[in-house]
C-alpha cells in the first residue's frame, strides 16, 4: 500500500498565485507569440534528479528546455513528457565531428536517434560560444555543423531536428547604436558567412546568447538600470535610423539583425539561446541582486509572450531560453556565475515571476482588481492535478483506486458510458480522479502528490472532451 502522506511539496508554494479573472487567462496565447524555454545546466552536485526536474518544468508550465550535453539519464527522463528539448554537442567534440562524418553518424545514432521521438529533441546546439573557446575550435565549427546535419539527414531527422550553434554577443565588433551592428571582421569570411548560409539552407535559426547584464554592469554610469530591466524609461534613440529603443535587450538583438542584414542574411531568424540576470554577485558586479533579476526575467517573459518583435523586426516574435533553471554551485568564476538560477536546488523559487501567458495575465489582472468581481475565492490558484504518465502503471492504478475509494473523489464521470470515460486510458482516468480529489481538498498543499504519481498544472488538462472541475 502506498503512503499518501500530506507532505508539503516545495513546488506548491509558488503556485499560490493570486489569480483573479480566470477566463481572460486563456485567450492570450496566440500562435504568433514568442516562446519561453529554459536552460537546464547541471554544473552542480546538489540538483534534483532529472525526473523531478521534468515534473518541476511541467508544474511551471515550461515546455521547452535546453541542455548542455546529451546525458542519457536526462534525455530518458524527458521521454513522453511533452517538453521539447535542445541538446548540445560540447566544444571538445568539434574537431572530431568536423573531420569525420562516421563520427557524427555514430554520435547521432547514440545520442539522438536512440531517444527520438519519445524525447522530443527539436534542435542540436553544435558547440557553445565557440569563438571565445580558449581552445580555438572556431575553424571546426561549420564543418562540424554540416556533418551533424548530414548524419541527421541519413536518418530522415533533419526536418525535425535543427542544427545551430549559440554565439556570444562578443561575436559583434560593433553593437551600438544597434543599426551599426557588425560582426568581427576576422570572423566574417571564415565562419559567419558560411554558418549563415548553412542556417538559411537548412531552415534553421541563429542562436544568440545575449546578456544585457554584462553591458549594464560594465557601464552602470552610462546605461540606465530601468532601460536594462525593461522598466519605464525615456528610451534610447538609435542615431543611425531614428528608431527608439525602450530596452537594452531589444537593442542587442537588433545589433545582431543589423550585422546579419549587412551580410545579406537578414532573413535568417534568431533564437535567444541564453539570457538572464544574476540574483547575487561580487561587490564589483553592479546590479546583481534578486529584485533586479526578478524584474529582468519577469519583464522579459512578458515582453516575449506578448509576441511583439524588436524595432528593426517588429513582426518577428522571439523564442527565448532563460538562463537558467537552477543556481549551479560548481560553476567557476565570479559569484554571479553561480547565481543565475530561477530555482534553488531545493526547487524553491529564488524569486517569483510569471513564466506562462496564463500567469502573466493572472498577475496583470491581480494588480487591477475589477470592482465587484472580487470574491472570497479570488486568492485561490487556478490549478489542476494530473497523473504522471511516466509513473509505473501498477502504482498509478493503486493511487487511482485510493482516490476513488477512501479518497472520496467523484469517479462517476470515468465509468463506462459516462462523459469522461474516453479516452479510456489509465493516465486519463487517474488524472480525472486525482483532480477531483485535489479540488475537493481545496487544492491544499500535498493533496496533489499521491506519492509522486501526480503533479499540479496551471492549465486545464486536455483529455478528449472531458471537462475537469476546478472547484469553483
Ligand atoms: C554521445 O555523446 C557523448 C557526449 O556528447 C560522447 O562522449 C559520446 O562519444 C557520444 N557517443 C558516440 C557514439 O559518439
Ligand atoms: C581544451 O582542450 C583540452 C584537451 O582536449 C581539454 O582538456 C580542455 O578541457 C579544453 N578546454 C576547454 C575550455 O574546452
Ligand atoms: C585560432 O585559429 C585561427 C584559424 O585557424 C587562427 O587564425 C587564429 O590565429 C587562432 N587563434 C588563436 C588564439 O590561437
Ligand atoms: C508587419 O506586419 C504588418 C501587418 O501584417 C505589415 O503591415 C507591416 O508592413 C509589417 N512590417 C514589417 C517591418 O515587416
Amino acid at each position: 500500500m502506498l503512503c499518501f502522506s500530506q507532505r508539503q511539496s516545495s513546488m506548491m508554494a509558488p503556485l499560490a498565485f493570486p489569480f483573479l479573472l480566470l477566463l481572460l487567462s486563456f485567450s492570450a496565447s496566440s500562435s504568433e507569440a514568442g516562446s519561453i524555454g529554459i536552460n537546464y545546466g547541471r554544473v552542480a552536485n546538489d540538483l534534483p534528479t532529472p525526473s523531478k526536474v521534468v515534473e518541476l518544468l511541467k508544474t511551471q508550465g515550461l515546455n521547452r528546455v535546453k541542455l548542455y550535453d546529451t546525458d542519457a539519464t536526462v534525455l530518458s527522463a524527458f521521454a513522453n513528457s511533452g517538453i521539447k528539448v535542445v541538446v548540445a554537442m560540447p566544444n571538445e567534440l568539434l574537431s572530431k565531428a568536423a573531420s569525420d562524418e562516421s563520427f557524427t553518424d555514430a554520435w547521432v545514432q547514440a545520442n539522438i536517434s536512440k531517444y527520438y521521438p519519445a524525447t522530443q529533441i527539436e534542435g542540436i546546439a553544435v558547440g557553445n560560444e565557440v569563438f571565445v573557446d580558449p581552445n580555438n575550435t572556431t575553424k571546426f565549427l561549420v564543418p562540424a555543423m554540416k556533418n551533424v546535419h548530414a548524419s541527421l539527414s541519413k536518418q530522415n531527422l533533419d526536418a525535425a531536428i535543427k542544427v545551430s550553434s549559440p554565439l556570444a554577443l562578443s561575436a559583434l565588433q560593433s553593437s551600438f547604436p544597434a543599426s551599426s551592428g557588425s560582426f568581427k571582421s576576422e570572423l566574417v569570411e571564415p565562419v559567419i558567412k558560411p554558418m549563415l548560409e548553412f542556417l538559411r539552407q537548412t531552415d534553421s535559426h541563429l542562436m544568440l546568447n545575449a546578456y544585457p547584464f554584462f553591458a549594464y554592469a560594465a557601464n552602470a554610469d552610462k546605461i540606465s538600470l530601468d532601460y536594462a530591466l525593461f522598466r519605464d524609461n525615456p528610451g534610447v534613440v538609435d542615431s543611425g535610423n531614428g528608431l527608439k529603443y525602450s530596452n537594452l535587450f531589444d537593442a542587442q538583438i537588433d545589433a545582431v539583425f543589423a550585422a546579419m542584414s549587412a551580410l545579406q542574411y537578414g532573413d535568417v531568424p534568431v533564437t535567444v539561446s541564453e539570457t538572464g540576470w544574476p540574483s547575487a554577485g561580487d561587490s564589483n558586479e553592479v546590479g546583481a541582486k534578486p529584485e533586479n533579476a526578478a524584474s529582468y526575467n519577469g519583464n522579459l517573459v512578458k515582453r516575449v509572450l506578448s509576441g511583439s518583435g524588436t524595432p528593426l523586426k517588429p513582426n518577428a516574435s522571439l523564442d527565448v531560453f532563460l538562463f537558467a533553471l537552477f543556481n549551479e554551485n560548481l560553476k567557476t568564476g565570479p559569484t554571479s556565475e553561480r547565481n543565475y538560477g530561477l530555482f534553488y536546488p531545493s526547487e524553491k523559487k529564488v524569486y517569483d515571476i510569471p513564466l506562462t501567458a496564463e500567469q502573466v495575465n493572472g498577475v496583470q489582472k491581480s494588480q487591477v482588481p475589477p470592482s465587484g468581481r472580487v470574491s472570497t475565492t479570488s486568492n485561490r490558484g487556478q490549478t489542476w492535478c494530473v497523473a504522471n504518465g511516466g509513473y509505473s502503471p501498477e502504482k498509478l492504478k493503486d493511487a487511482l483506486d485510493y482516490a476513488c475509494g477512501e479518497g472520496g473523489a467523484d469517479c462517476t464521470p470515468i465509468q463506462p458510458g459516462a462523459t469522461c470515460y474516453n479516452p479510456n486510458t489509465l493516465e486519463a482516468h487517474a488524472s480525472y480522479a486525482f483532480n477531483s480529489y485535489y479540488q475537493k481538498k481545496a487544492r491544499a498543499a500535498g493533496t496533489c502528490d499521491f506519492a509522486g504519481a501526480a503533479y499540479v498544472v496551471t492549465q486545464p488538462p486536455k483529455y478528449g472532451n472531458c471537462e475537469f472541475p476546478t472547484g469553483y
Side-chain angles (χ1 to χ4, degrees), residues 18-76:
F19 295 110
L20 281 181
L21 274 187
L22 315 166
L23 292 173
L24 289 176
S25 308
F26 303 108
S27 57
S29 46
S30 84
S31 56
E32 316 261 306
S35 75
I36 292 290
I38 197 154
N39 281 280
Y40 172 18
R42 296 184 301 117
V43 187
N45 60 9
D46 53 359
L47 298 184
T49 62
S51 52
K52 290 219 177 240
V53 172
V54 171
E55 283 178 45
L56 173 65
L57 294 174
K58 284 180 167 181
T59 310
Q60 299 300 325
L62 289 165
N63 53 18
R64 294 181 86 177
V65 68
K66 182 169 152 286
L67 313 176
Y68 289 89
D69 53 23
T70 49
D71 182 84
T73 317
V74 173
L75 284 177
S76 302

Side-chain angles (χ1 to χ4, degrees), residues 134 136 138-139:
N136 198 3
T138 298
K139 64 175 173 293

Side-chain angles (χ1 to χ4, degrees), residues 387-408:
N388 180 349
Y391 216 68
S392 97
E394 291 77 16
K395 290 185 177 174
L396 213 50
K397 179 76 169 51
D398 282 350
L400 170 63
D401 291 345
Y402 169 83
C404 295
E406 316 172 47

Side-chain angles (χ1 to χ4, degrees), residues 196-331:
L196 291 171
E197 183 61 32
F198 167 82
L199 296 174
R200 176 190 276 161
Q201 281 178 8
T202 57
D203 224 359
S204 185
H205 289 202
L206 182 83
M207 285 184 171
L208 176 71
N209 295 348
Y211 286 90
F213 168 70
F214 295 146
Y216 171 75
N219 304 281
D221 52 332
K222 297 189 203 77
I223 297 176
S224 126
L225 184 60
D226 290 335
Y227 181 67
L229 298 180
F230 304 87
R231 298 195 299 219
D232 281 344
N233 70 92
V236 174
V237 174
D238 185 310
S239 57
N241 56 16
L243 290 173
K244 186 163 166 176
Y245 284 86
S246 61
N247 64 78
L248 183 51
F249 173 84
D250 280 5
Q252 291 192 339
I253 305 302
D254 272 358
V256 173
F257 276 134
M260 287 163 59
S261 294
L263 302 177
Q264 313 298 324
Y265 285 96
D267 55 305
V268 174
V270 169
T271 290
V272 179
S273 39
E274 285 184 13
T275 190
W277 195 286
S279 61
D282 296 321
S283 57
N284 62 344
E285 298 190 276
V286 185
K289 48 185 180 180
E291 309 86 277
N292 293 344
S295 287
Y296 180 80
N297 287 309
N299 290 332
L300 172 75
V301 168
K302 290 179 206 165
R303 153 84 183 69
V304 169
L305 294 178
S306 77
S308 62
T310 59
L312 268 188
K313 289 202 171 193
N315 293 345
S317 62
L318 281 173
D319 294 333
V320 169
F321 290 86
L322 303 177
F323 188 88
L325 185 54
F326 294 111
N327 282 341
E328 295 171 67
N329 66 348
L330 297 182
K331 285 214 144 179

Side-chain angles (χ1 to χ4, degrees), residues 89-107 126 137 139-141 143-148 151:
M89 171 183 271
N91 290 0
E92 299 87 83
L93 297 185
L94 292 186
S95 71
K96 269 191 210 154
S99 60
D100 185 358
E101 202 175 303
S102 64
F103 175 82
T104 55
D105 286 349
W107 188 87
V126 173
T137 43
K139 64 175 173 293
F140 305 120
L141 179 58
M145 292 170 81
K146 287 182 171 168
N147 281 347
V148 171
S151 299

